[in-house]
Amino acid sequence: MGVIGGVHGVLTGLLELVFPATCVCCGRAPVAWCRRCRPGPEQRWRAGLDSVPVCAATEYRGTVRTALIAYKERGVRALLPDLAEYLRFAVLAHGQPHPLLVPVPSRRVAARRRGGDHVHGLARLVAAGIGYECATVLRLCGPVADSAGLSSAQRTANLSHRMDAQRPRAGPHTPPVIVVDDIVTTGATVREAVRALRMAGWPVVGAAVVADTRRRFPQQSSG
Ligand SMILES: [Zn+2]
């Protein structure tokens, strides 16, 4: 392959990341994520994460998992609007008038590899669509290992006191905060974000995520 062919190959690859030729799930429909492969959103609440209600808009499985991995790990930007639609649904489920959306921070290395902070991208799009504010007031303040493959206890240890938050601006009104993330697994990330935000003086009222890894109706035999 000559230089021209190589460049052409790279360009085609880049274009397919931004505008996939077909649905990332079925590979047939001529859109990034077709309606048949996209489950309708539903409110999936988790209570008891430091008294903050967490709402997910869908379960992290099947085509949702495929699409989230394609967006996060392969940088398929064309999936952003559809994923943001789920997040918007979960944010609105809280019924808060004009909350501030605060995305959880990504590890810097991970964000670089993915070509930007994917949770921030989702939060920004949701906020812009419904006229809310979005602010990156949380940051990681210590080394955090990739959480994939860690147990619940390991995730908590990995994340405990690893975030800090900017203080709210002085003034008569501090907006209620909704923490946003892509996936809730053990809840360790949300818990740490809530802890750091409250320490800094933010009134956190809830969390909203695209998908929850828990099954809605756990099978009896699964223990
Ligand atoms: Zn499809």
Side-chain angles (χ1 to χ4, degrees):
M1 190 189 283
V3 172
I4 302 277
V7 169
H8 181 263
V10 168
L11 281 178
T12 308
L14 283 174
L15 274 175
E16 281 185 356
L17 282 182
V18 183
F19 306 107
T22 55
C23 170
V24 293
C25 297
C26 66
R28 289 193 296 268
V31 289
W33 195 5
C34 78
R35 284 209 166 271
R36 290 175 67 174
C37 293
R38 239 185 306 151
E42 51 173 351
Q43 291 185 22
R44 303 170 67 89
W45 290 96
R46 266 202 211 194
L49 287 182
D50 292 337
S51 65
V52 167
V54 181
C55 185
T58 188
E59 188 180 330
Y60 184 65
R61 66 192 287 267
T63 53
V64 171
R65 185 171 175 276
T66 302
L68 264 168
I69 290 174
Y71 172 62
K72 283 167 64 168
E73 305 299 335
R74 291 171 31 221
V76 182
R77 289 296 193 208
L79 293 166
L80 181 63
D82 292 325
L83 291 169
E85 190 59 34
Y86 284 107
L87 185 61
R88 185 177 88 100
F89 180 89
V91 165
L92 291 177
H94 285 277
Q96 281 289 327
H98 288 276
L100 178 71
L101 305 187
V102 174
V104 299
S106 294
R107 287 185 313 138
R108 220 170 288 156
V109 180
R112 247 200 321 267
R113 197 181 57 221
R114 292 160 179 160
D117 187 327
H118 67 277
V119 177
H120 186 205
L122 279 169
R124 225 173 17 213
L125 189 59
V126 170
I130 48 186
Y132 290 177
E133 295 286 317
C134 167
T136 52
V137 300
L138 279 172
R139 66 181 185 105
L140 295 171
C141 55
V144 176
D146 198 329
S147 62
L150 298 184
S151 72
S152 176
Q154 286 168 328
R155 275 175 195 248
T156 303
N158 185 31
L159 273 166
S160 69
H161 293 73
R162 297 288 164 79
M163 290 185 204
D164 64 19
Q166 291 168 25
R167 297 196 155 278
R169 262 182 304 222
H173 177 66
T174 303
V177 166
I178 293 183
V179 174
V180 299
D181 202 354
D182 54 354
I183 304 164
V184 62
T185 305
T186 63
T189 306
V190 167
R191 208 173 289 125
E192 172 59 8
V194 171
R195 184 203 61 78
L197 286 163
R198 284 182 172 162
M199 280 278 288
W202 293 96
V204 185
V205 293
V209 300
V210 173
D212 189 334
T213 58
R214 276 200 324 200
R215 299 186 137 214
R216 170 158 275 186
F217 305 110
Q219 284 163 348
Q220 297 275 312
S221 58
S222 68

